[in-house]
Amino acid sequence: MLLDGILIGKIVRFALVGLAGAAIDFGSTFLCKEVLKINKFISNAIGFTLAATFCFFLNKYWTYQSQTPLAWTEYLMFIAVSLVGLGINTSVVYLLNEKAKMNFYLSKCFAIAMASVWNFVANLLITFA
């Protein structure tokens, strides 16, 4: 029972960090794509990367409460997991926006949801195990 409560707490904290990360992701992507006129896939990658870096620190210390002093090792593992997430994210955006002709930002919502599932599980089992 306690294990279930701990896991649920991690999921809730991960979701809250993810919402903040999504705001950074969307804001950065919008700025790059709409204001700076950078290619939408490069803008997507920039937003995702900024959000992933922000989320690393909150997830390390708050969500997973990692005590490992090797923050750089965890960061590199987190980024590796996030790069797979970026691949999932970009693929979903491409399929929904380019192929299915769904609105770019709506496609990005679905992409974030799909990548988030991967990121939570992989970080739980690999990065912060």
Side-chain angles (χ1 to χ4, degrees):
M1 208 56 165
L2 178 61
L3 183 61
D4 292 337
I6 291 170
L7 183 59
I8 290 169
K10 285 183 181 187
I11 291 170
V12 169
R13 287 190 297 271
F14 183 84
L16 291 172
V17 170
L19 287 173
I24 290 170
D25 189 346
F26 269 88
S28 301
T29 300
F30 181 84
L31 176 69
C32 291
K33 180 180 177 290
E34 306 299 337
V35 177
L36 300 175
K37 304 298 184 197
I38 297 172
N39 173 279
K40 63 184 168 185
F41 294 108
I42 294 171
S43 296
N44 184 55
I46 291 169
F48 187 91
T49 303
L50 290 173
T53 300
F54 167 81
C55 289
F56 166 75
F57 291 102
L58 281 180
N59 280 319
K60 175 179 174 48
Y61 296 110
W62 188 51
T63 303
Y64 299 103
Q65 300 172 344
S66 173
Q67 301 298 316
T68 303
L70 303 172
W72 278 106
T73 302
E74 283 181 333
Y75 180 72
L76 292 175
M77 290 170 50
F78 188 89
I79 292 300
V81 166
S82 293
L83 286 173
V84 173
L86 176 59
I88 294 167
N89 183 296
T90 302
S91 297
V92 171
V93 168
Y94 175 78
L95 290 172
L96 294 178
N97 180 246
E98 293 289 318
K99 299 298 181 183
K101 303 300 181 198
M102 184 181 286
N103 173 276
F104 175 78
Y105 294 105
L106 184 56
S107 300
K108 190 164 177 62
C109 286
F110 284 107
I112 288 171
M114 300 281 293
S116 292
V117 172
W118 157 259
N119 286 342
F120 177 78
V121 172
N123 283 309
L124 179 67
L125 299 177
I126 300 168
T127 308
F128 301 112

